[in-house]
Amino acid sequence: MKKYITLAFMACMLLTTTSCKTGNSNKANDTAENMITVPEFNADNAYQYIQAQVDFGPRVPNTKEHVACGEYLAQKLEEYGAKVTNQYADLLAFNGTILKARNIIGSYNPENKKRILLFAHWDSRPWSDADLDEKNHHTPVLGANDGASGVGVLLEIARLINQEAPALGIDIIFFDAEDYGAPRFHKGDHKDEYWCLGSQYWSRNPHVEGYNARFGILLDMVGGKDATFYRELYSEKYARSVNKKVWKKAKELGYSNIFVNEENGGAIDDHLFVNEIAGIPSIDIVPYMADAKHNSFGDFWHTINDDMSGIDKKTLQAVGQTVLAVIYNEK
Ligand code: AHN
Ligand code: ZN
């Protein structure tokens, strides 16, 4: 009898100590052995990481602002305990320009064969070619949302992973030269392959030989006011089960008004090349704005208005918390 009481006492202690750890976390499961704690995403931090990138100015390849921001991002990943790999490459743009590109990779638990890939692009577009005012077409985009937002959310996730690791290994990649696709005013070729040059390069030359991941999640323009995210069409084609998983988790967290569980819109985006070249089933969390006047990504898109005034912490919170819940629930 005494033995059983002691055992019961010990079990209680175990439960108490495990649940203590959930102090500022969400309890996903309540039995001791299945207990998964998902850290709490801090949108104020993500916002600050976006501001810090925007403060460099536009991050257009082959500019000093781009170089300086690349240093900042690699240093932040180091600070948050990732093993950082820099992939430098000379990439050929649609107009013959050689882009001095840098993919920045932060790896957690690199020995673990079970992995998840999280990615965003960190460059910003050289032209505001979708701006309604033609005189702005040659002005670089500031890229608060288009570029900096995905990176900002991933830096906050990096900070949290460093505090308490999920079961799987995580790779965070900031891809370069995503947004150097031919501008609308360009008279020559407009091939899809001119977009996403950094992710194409990595997909052909992964930072680890034979690299693989269970799945990938791309975050692109995840900070816009009133943004809605639908299941993007290439994601459905290549990684339907990942879309299902993410939208289900968003619903559980109460975000089904932001993550609308319907298919809508296709984006030639970094995930397409990670799917087609690297063969890693990957989705794109990218806005689809049903009511936008000019563009389904949102009317800020590729205009001089893509600045901090368009960033909403509510959207950052919904995306960040959903992605965290997904990765911490993988076993
Ligand atoms: C195209 O417009 C072809 N693709 C969108 C990819 C993109 C650009 N994401 C952000 N900027
Ligand atoms: Zn863009």
Side-chain angles (χ1 to χ4, degrees), residues 121 125 127-132 141 145-146 178-179 184 195 220-221 268-269 286-287 294-306:
H121 76 91
R125 184 159 179 77
W127 314 279
S128 297
D129 56 329
D131 201 282
L132 294 181
V141 173
N145 201 12
D146 189 358
E178 185 272 349
D179 228 344
R184 293 176 179 189
W195 299 92
D220 192 12
M221 306 183 268
I268 310 295
D269 212 340
V286 66
H294 306 288
N295 199 285
S296 64
F297 291 135
D299 289 330
F300 70 90
W301 188 66
H302 293 180
T303 74
I304 62 163
N305 302 318
D306 184 4

Side-chain angles (χ1 to χ4, degrees), residues 119-183:
F119 51 112
H121 76 91
W122 73 273
D123 62 307
S124 59
R125 184 159 179 77
W127 314 279
S128 297
D129 56 329
D131 201 282
L132 294 181
D133 190 341
E134 202 181 320
K135 78 173 192 305
N136 295 327
H137 285 187
H138 291 269
T139 303
V141 173
L142 197 49
N145 201 12
D146 189 358
S149 67
V151 170
V153 168
L154 291 181
L155 278 178
E156 171 59 3
I157 289 178
R159 187 185 72 80
L160 293 165
I161 292 173
N162 193 37
Q163 288 184 359
E164 192 180 355
L168 269 64
I170 307 286
D171 299 286
I172 292 176
I173 307 188
F174 301 147
F175 285 126
D176 202 353
E178 185 272 349
D179 228 344
Y180 217 97

Side-chain angles (χ1 to χ4, degrees), residues 1-11:
M1 183 64 183
K2 195 174 164 210
K3 194 166 140 201
Y4 288 114
I5 292 167
T6 316
L7 268 174
F9 176 72
M10 281 170 66

Side-chain angles (χ1 to χ4, degrees), residues 28-37 329 331:
N29 232 321
D30 51 9
T31 59
E33 60 288 12
N34 293 329
M35 183 107 88
I36 288 162
T37 60
N329 275 286
K331 289 184 273 288

Side-chain angles (χ1 to χ4, degrees), residues 268-283:
I268 310 295
D269 212 340
D270 290 319
H271 72 312
L272 180 61
F273 300 96
V274 173
N275 275 303
E276 291 190 342
I277 302 171
I280 298 168
S282 298
I283 67 156

